[in-house]
Amino acid sequence: MNLAIETKKLTKTYKTSSGMQSVVKDLDLEVEKGEIFGFLGPNGAGKTTTIKILLGIIDGTSGEANVLGRPAGDIESHKRLSYLPEKPYYYEHMTGLEITQFYASLFGIKDKELCVNLLNRVNLGNDYNRPISQYSKGMQQRVGLAQSLLNDPELLFLDEPTGGLDPIAHIEIRDLILKFRDEGRTVFISSHELSDVERICDRVAIINKGEMVHQGRLDDLLSGGRIEVTADGVPENLADKFKGDDMTLSLRAGRLIADLPDTMSPNEMIDAIRTSGGSVVSVIPRRKRLEDLFLESVSGDNLAKGRVTGKMTDDKKADTKEEEVSS
Amino acid sequence: MNVILSIAKTTIGEAIRRRVLLIILLIGVLFLVIAPGLSVLSARSSYTVLVSFTLGVIQLTSAVIAIVLTVYLLPNEVERRTIYTILSKPVYRWQFLLGKYLGAVGALGLMMALMTGILVLVFKIMQAEAGMDVVMTLARAPMMYFVQMSLLAAVAMFFSTFASPIVNFFLTGGVYLVGTLFSPVFQDIAGNNSVNAMVKTAATVIHTLVPNFAQFNVQNTIINSGSQLRSEQMYYLQMVAYAIAYVAVFLIGGMMIFDRKEV
Ligand SMILES: Nc1ncnc2c1ncn2[C@@H]1O[C@H](COP(=O)(O)OP(=O)(O)OP(=O)(O)O)[C@@H](O)[C@H]1O
Ligand SMILES: [Mg+2]
């Protein structure tokens, strides 16, 4: 398979005052080349830690991590990838252009024009000669994106790229990321901005307390939506005609409320209602939202509580099993 | 090489804007400027007093700058996460550490050059009749101090790969004090055959581990100048070689620790 990122049973354990704490646990990630991959999880789930391992900034405790076909942290592969950390910060005395040139020099690139072009591309054309200390959050984030494009990377790691930005900046950055995919790059985004992820990602992984809860195509993960049909003046015998195991029906005093899977067309039912003299009140599709999946994935936990102790991890296992049975 | 120099350059740019360092530098410069006024109060030969006072000011100021500057270099990078963007580029950790160190030495050099320039200026104004060459001999001591402080910065860099800035401040300060005040003593014991073998070994170990900072304090030969100009150049060269060797040891040690460190 053509994988940009692959981890096998990746685990990171920290020694803390409360004992050993597994921040990433047996993580099996598979990111295909050329896709936008969303890496989701609540605060403290281990997203940033995983990215740091993939970049070789820290080492995993056990398991395997390969990036662009080489072990994580390999300097050769660093020529082909780039990283935008969450809440990036730059040397404040430098201008946007100087900072970009500084990062360029780390690749051995001396091309000033390239830096200017990239800054133009992220809409900093008018501001790149001002010191970073005068930049807004959104402008700093865009400097970050410009520096992340210097080496024409095959793979981009973006940690919370839209965190703390206003809606306009959100859209701008989202569009840039979509363009990255059109240019054939693989984009790995860590985020909890679910609406952004839902719009742009091809595949996602949801982790909670360091453990994988879901991984797959967004379309597959969000399948299983329902359609609710409501009608009045429906004769009693109609209900029997449609009773099936994947459908819930209630019919009382002529009012029918049917809830069917979105894989089934409601046409047949609507036709039957109308020929029997009933009238359709509403047909409401209830598509599964990423938010639902996310909440379901991390349910039963105190979301604000990112800490994982040995005991809680065991509890978590039980949770996941239950979810698998019920879904 | 390019990578190391780029990192060094940005480090210098940042260091010479650090407010704490500028304040320390300003205090040093103030003392240099008012020194002539102070020395009038002294009864002894005012020239000798003035020389040792001003050189002492430069040395102390530089030592404080060297330590305060270097202990924060790595922790600041981690705290502001700038290190993550740098290490995600094709940059080896040893290159990063070396670049930071060279940047510290560069910034230190600039600040010490400024103080030395002011020193020379003050003396030139004080003794208008003295030739420039006489005044310039004064600048030799700060040059040796620069070598000394570069070594001190390497010690601080080494400790900063595992110690917090505050701990590092005391560790490096301690090494400097021991290396300045006690090095001659340890050297003496190590070379003395009449002392207990264990004490002798201990003295040798300390004398080898802790750089001999005292030997860079050349102000006395400058104050009593004219006596041994011949061997002086040789001595200076030896000092530089000694410093480079120790800097290399501390930096390589630091790189080995930093390479495995979780940042
Ligand atoms: N050096 C460390 N020592 C101990 N625990 C750590 C260390 N670094 C991170 N952690 C813990 O690891 C957990 C995961 O942190 P991480 O930053 O990876 O989360 P995240 O998913 O990126 O969260 P967020 O959405 O808030 O950015 C947290 O509980 C954090 O406290
Ligand atoms: Mg994070």
Side-chain angles (χ1 to χ4, degrees), chain B residues 16-95:
Chain B
I16 57 174
R17 287 175 178 84
R18 287 249 327 259
R19 211 161 290 151
V20 208
L21 301 180
L22 292 180
I23 289 171
I24 299 169
L25 183 65
L26 192 71
I27 294 172
V29 168
L30 259 172
F31 270 104
L32 288 182
V33 174
I34 61 169
L38 290 179
S39 70
V40 173
L41 303 175
S42 145
R44 276 204 323 175
S45 153
S46 67
Y47 180 76
T48 314
V49 173
L50 187 59
V51 170
S52 59
F53 177 76
T54 47
L55 289 181
V57 165
I58 292 185
Q59 192 176 23
L60 184 66
T61 312
S62 310
V64 176
I65 290 178
I67 297 178
V68 174
L69 165 63
T70 318
V71 297
Y72 282 105
L73 280 184
L74 293 185
N76 275 352
E77 285 282 339
V78 175
E79 195 185 317
R80 297 173 319 187
R81 294 182 298 275
T82 37
I83 190 173
Y84 301 144
T85 14
I86 294 174
L87 290 184
S88 69
K89 306 273 184 267
V91 175
Y92 289 99
R93 289 185 174 209
W94 66 264
Q95 293 177 314

Side-chain angles (χ1 to χ4, degrees), chain A residues 94-162:
Chain A
M94 296 167 94
T95 66
L97 180 58
E98 282 168 350
I99 259 300
T100 314
Q101 285 181 297
F102 165 65
Y103 283 113
S105 72
L106 299 183
F107 288 109
I109 300 170
K110 291 205 183 83
D111 189 352
K112 182 178 171 186
E113 205 160 317
L114 171 74
C115 299
V116 171
N117 287 344
L118 288 175
L119 288 162
N120 281 330
R121 183 171 173 186
V122 295
N123 287 334
L124 283 175
N126 296 323
D127 300 298
Y128 59 64
N129 280 323
R130 282 167 55 193
I132 296 260
S133 52
Q134 298 175 7
Y135 281 22
S136 71
K137 234 185 214 169
M139 288 161 78
Q140 293 202 10
Q141 196 75 349
R142 280 184 275 167
V143 173
L145 278 171
Q147 67 82 24
S148 74
L149 290 172
L150 280 163
N151 56 331
D152 193 13
E154 290 167 46
L155 170 63
L156 288 109
F157 288 93
L158 309 178
D159 199 351
E160 303 282 357
T162 52

Side-chain angles (χ1 to χ4, degrees), chain A residues 12-16 21-24 39-52 58 86-87 159-160 190-192 207 209-210 305-308, chain B residues 262-263:
Chain A
K12 178 70 189 177
T13 308
Y14 283 117
K15 248 190 218 119
T16 60
Q21 181 184 350
S22 285
V23 170
V24 175
F39 192 45
L40 317 178
N43 289 127
K47 303 183 293 294
T48 301
T49 306
T50 306
I51 293 181
K52 283 191 194 168
I58 57 177
E86 64 180 327
K87 301 190 215 88
D159 199 351
E160 303 282 357
S190 142
S191 183
H192 26 223
I207 64 164
K209 293 178 176 178
K305 209 176 183 181
R307 305 230 144 194
V308 183
Chain B
E262 304 243 306
V263 289

